[in-house]
């Protein structure tokens, strides 16, 4: 369900809700490449060019942050 945003031919940008995620923000141009981030308890959906590379980069940043 679109709460506030744009959803259509070129992507989904804005605030949405569904039964699986609840409320979430989306900055997505491809459903096939979507990655769900949990940022301080809030869900954000993005679609990077390389989901696996993006996930590796986020995990590396988290690891470095914990070491500080």
């Amino acid at each position: 369900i679109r709460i506030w945003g744009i959803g259509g031919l070129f992507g989904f940008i804005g605030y949405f809700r569904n039964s699986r995620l609840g409320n979430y923000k989306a900055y997505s141009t491809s459903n096939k490449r979507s990655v769900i981030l949990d940022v301080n308890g809030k869900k954000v959906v993005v679609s990077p060019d390389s989901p696996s590379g993006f996930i590796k980069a986020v995990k590396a940043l988290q690891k470095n942050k914990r070491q500080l």
Side-chain angles (χ1 to χ4, degrees):
I1 297 173
R2 183 179 322 142
I3 297 171
W4 183 88
I6 298 169
L9 182 61
F10 296 108
F12 295 88
I13 301 167
Y15 294 91
F16 298 85
R17 164 189 257 161
N18 69 26
S19 60
R20 185 172 168 200
L21 296 176
N23 292 335
Y24 63 95
K25 283 185 186 180
Y27 305 98
S28 177
T29 57
S30 172
N31 289 338
K32 292 181 181 182
R33 294 191 318 253
S34 293
V35 175
I36 302 166
L37 303 171
D38 188 332
V39 180
N40 297 325
K42 296 182 181 184
K43 305 281 190 295
V44 179
V45 178
V46 296
S47 58
D49 286 335
S50 172
S52 59
F54 180 80
I55 291 168
K56 287 178 186 177
V58 169
K59 286 183 178 182
L61 288 171
Q62 287 177 329
K63 183 179 177 182
N64 288 339
K65 185 177 178 181
R66 286 187 207 133
Q67 291 176 354
L68 295 174

